[in-house]
Amino acid sequence: MSDSTGLAVGESVEDVSETLVYPDGETTETALSELLTEAPVLLTFYTNDFSPDCIEEWCSFRDYDWFTSNDAVQVIGVSKSRPITHRKFIDHLGLQFPLYADTDLELSSAFDVAYRAFKIAPRSRRSCFLLDSEGVVRYKWIAEHPLDPSRDQPPISEIHEVIENEFDDDGPETFGF
């Protein structure tokens, strides 16, 4: 694993299967392509469940109610944490998002965001990829913190705006005019 730049906007991702933990407790081996048949996907890579930066990130997604109340896109988390830890993390924070257990970093490698922190600990670079139904990257954000790319926080408002522009079929609000 080396420093990564992530898949580029316009590139297609290979189909990868990993264990997905749902908020209702269900845990299944799920291919990314299965999720894409339901709706576009915002994959959010983060370091580890229960780390302070990751708690802050997931509380931001949870508290920005648009992400949980809109069917335009599915928000899916991805970290190296195990399924049992994901279950506890979902319950602890009251998350409504499923989380991939990318314990072997296969999904992270498919997006070119796997790296070694301080050249020792393998993990995922904090990043977000918005995928259309064909698995094509329509937007990406990758942490660029000079010492530890797990410390940057995704730009929630910017991501929301991109999703609305790319996938929201309701059109612009006209306020009755």
Side-chain angles (χ1 to χ4, degrees):
M1 282 178 254
S2 63
D3 275 348
S4 24
T5 57
L7 288 181
V9 171
E11 280 190 90
S12 296
V13 66
E14 65 183 79
D15 194 22
V16 178
S17 294
E18 289 288 359
T19 303
L20 191 62
V21 179
Y22 291 89
D24 66 3
E26 181 184 1
T27 301
T28 62
E29 187 77 11
T30 305
L32 185 55
S33 60
E34 289 177 54
L35 296 173
L36 293 170
T37 62
E38 297 171 24
V41 170
L42 176 66
L43 275 183
T44 303
F45 291 87
Y46 64 104
T47 309
N48 228 350
D49 294 338
F50 295 104
S51 68
D53 294 332
C54 295
I55 289 173
E56 180 181 340
E57 175 181 355
W58 283 101
C59 285
S60 295
F61 277 107
R62 179 198 66 201
D63 296 344
Y64 201 121
D65 189 48
W66 184 90
F67 286 103
T68 57
S69 63
N70 192 301
D71 294 332
V73 69
Q74 303 172 78
V75 177
I76 311 288
V78 183
S79 85
K80 191 177 171 176
S81 297
R82 298 176 310 167
I84 193 160
T85 310
H86 276 340
R87 173 82 261 129
K88 292 176 182 175
F89 190 62
I90 288 169
D91 290 345
H92 178 73
L93 295 180
L95 299 178
Q96 296 301 308
F97 310 107
L99 305 175
Y100 267 121
D102 191 24
T103 56
D104 59 3
L105 296 178
E106 185 177 346
L107 194 53
S108 300
S109 294
F111 281 84
D112 195 24
V113 293
Y115 80 108
R116 289 190 179 273
F118 307 110
K119 301 189 188 227
I120 300 170
R123 59 173 57 168
S124 300
R125 183 177 300 274
R126 191 177 303 256
S127 51
C128 297
F129 293 87
L130 180 60
L131 305 173
D132 66 16
S133 60
E134 303 298 316
V136 175
V137 177
R138 302 284 288 272
Y139 167 87
K140 81 172 185 178
W141 170 85
I142 297 183
E144 295 179 359
H145 192 281
L147 295 176
D148 183 1
S150 68
R151 302 197 64 65
D152 289 339
Q153 292 294 319
I156 301 293
S157 294
E158 176 181 295
I159 292 168
H160 170 235
E161 186 176 316
V162 168
I163 290 169
E164 280 194 322
N165 290 337
E166 293 284 335
F167 301 114
D168 198 347
D169 292 333
D170 294 338
E173 288 187 49
T174 61
F175 303 104
F177 297 96

